[in-house]
Each structure stands twice: as C-alpha cells, then as structure tokens.
Amino acid sequence: MKKVGVVLSGCGVYDGSEIHETVITLLALARAGAIAVCYAPDKAQADVINHLTGEAMPETRNVLVESARLVRGDVHPLNTARAEDLDALIVPGGFGAAKNLCSFARDGSETQIDGDLLRLSQAMHQAGKPQGFLCIAPAMLPKIIPAPLRLTIGTDIDTADLIEEMGGEHVPCPVEDIVVDEDNRLVTTPAYMLAENIAQAAQGIEKLVDRVLDLCE
C-alpha cells in the first residue's frame, strides 16, 4: 500500500490550502488504496483573510492548527516528515501554498521556500520518488529542484513568465489535464488556476493522483 505525504498550508483558498483541491486529492488517494499522511508547517500564517469579504483580518493563525480543520485533526508538523517514510508527495494549491509554503505571492521569482518543505521535497527528488503539485504550488518548483523542469500552472501568462524567469519550462495546460516531467518524476495540474467549479478541478487532480501513484511503481 502506497504512503503519500500531502503537504497542507492552512484552511481556505485565500490564506491556506484550497479546500476542494485538498479533499479531491485525499479522496482520490483513498479510492486508489493509498494512505495519505498529512503535514503542515507549525508556524504563523502569512496573513488571515475573511473568506466572505476577501479582506485581511487583524489576527494571527497557525498553519498546522488551521490545516487540522481540513483533515479532522490528523495532521503532523512538517518538520517530522521523512522522505524514507513516503512513496510520493503531493502539494495542493490555494494562496497558502504561495504565502505559507513559500513567499511567491510576495516575492515572485525571488521566492523563498519553507525550509522543511525544501528539505523534504529535495530528499524525495534525490530518492527518485514522484511528486505532484497543484494549482499555484508548481510555481515554487524551480526553487526546489535545480534542474530544467517541465511544469504547468495552466495558462496565466504573468505567472508563467515568472516560472520561466526562475529557470522552469512552463507548459500551457487545460484544466482537465496534467503535465508530466518524466525525468524529474513531477506531475502538475492547473486545478483552480483554471477550474470554474469543483467538477472541473477534479478532472485534472484525479489524473495527477493516478499518475503520481503509477510513478511509484
């Protein structure tokens, strides 16, 4: 039975993990007979957003505590994750991926990656284990894996330009599809960078999960 690490970044599209993307990922893994092991950084969120109004709120929240909302409390500190314990790694999107797992939302091509995610993802890559990144999360990959990478965030030209500036090769991709970098064992999909509803998002995410599990073989 395959064990897949799922790295979360909070709870909610504007300041954490995108909830639909996370749940679809977990459901697809469960249906495929894989075990999902969820992790999140134990640190303060970059910001807290009122999801009703889209405005910032004057408070602080913890990424690990908020991520626990998504997975019924079954989440572990990211600094406890070990590549040798996992067969694959998946990172859902949401602005939390660009704010809490890295600084892409603020710093663009000068983004800094969370130290624990950097360590884990690089160790997975060095061990030849597959990784899947969804939505905006692939934008951080060129800063994690120092190699020519083929990846997608969909069709957003400005974000694609930043990825190219960091050394990645951006591949335009429709919402229902995936981009597979066979050499680096990376799978990416646009998800809510393009999806207009949960059913559209599910098409690409389910393909990504299937391909990541295939690459475990």
Side-chain angles (χ1 to χ4, degrees):
M1 191 174 287
K2 299 294 185 291
K3 187 177 289 186
V4 180
V6 179
V7 180
L8 305 178
S9 58
C11 182
V13 58
Y14 298 128
D15 56 14
S17 289
E18 211 294 321
I19 293 173
H20 293 175
E21 293 178 6
T22 302
V23 172
I24 293 165
T25 297
L26 296 174
L27 180 59
L29 287 169
R31 284 178 167 168
I35 297 173
V37 185
C38 295
Y39 299 96
D42 186 2
K43 65 181 183 183
Q45 292 183 183
D47 58 14
V48 179
I49 302 297
N50 180 327
H51 279 61
L52 194 60
T53 65
E55 297 176 354
M57 300 175 68
E59 60 180 87
T60 58
R61 296 187 186 184
N62 179 279
V63 179
L64 179 62
V65 172
E66 290 300 297
S67 297
R69 292 176 178 270
L70 267 174
V71 288
R72 301 171 66 89
D74 191 10
V75 63
H76 310 279
L78 184 55
N79 63 8
T80 67
R82 299 289 178 267
E84 55 266 31
D85 298 330
L86 302 171
D87 296 296
L89 189 71
I90 295 179
V91 183
F95 277 107
K99 292 177 177 180
N100 302 325
L101 298 183
C102 68
S103 62
F104 184 78
R106 183 184 69 241
D107 298 330
S109 62
E110 299 300 317
T111 185
Q112 300 293 309
I113 312 298
D114 175 89
D116 293 318
L117 176 60
L118 182 66
R119 171 189 56 77
L120 177 61
S121 183
Q122 287 182 337
M124 296 292 291
H125 180 253
Q126 288 162 6
K129 296 181 177 182
Q131 303 182 70
F133 283 63
L134 285 61
C135 191
I136 191 63
M140 68 178 88
L141 280 168
K143 291 289 188 175
I144 296 175
I145 299 172
L149 304 175
R150 297 180 72 253
L151 57 96
T152 192
I153 47 80
T155 57
D156 183 78
I157 293 173
D158 291 340
T159 306
D161 285 346
L162 289 172
I163 288 170
E164 298 269 347
E165 187 179 325
M166 289 188 285
E169 177 191 345
H170 182 265
V171 182
C173 178
V175 66
E176 72 276 6
D177 213 349
I178 58 176
V179 169
V180 183
D181 183 329
E182 297 280 357
D183 291 342
N184 292 294
R185 304 177 74 76
L186 292 174
V187 188
T188 53
T189 192
Y192 271 103
M193 288 295 286
L194 287 178
E196 296 178 357
N197 56 57
I198 190 171
Q200 284 188 359
Q203 293 179 72
I205 295 170
E206 289 168 354
K207 283 184 182 178
L208 177 142
V209 170
D210 287 346
R211 192 74 181 95
V212 166
L213 292 175
D214 285 345
L215 287 169
C216 289
E217 302 301 333

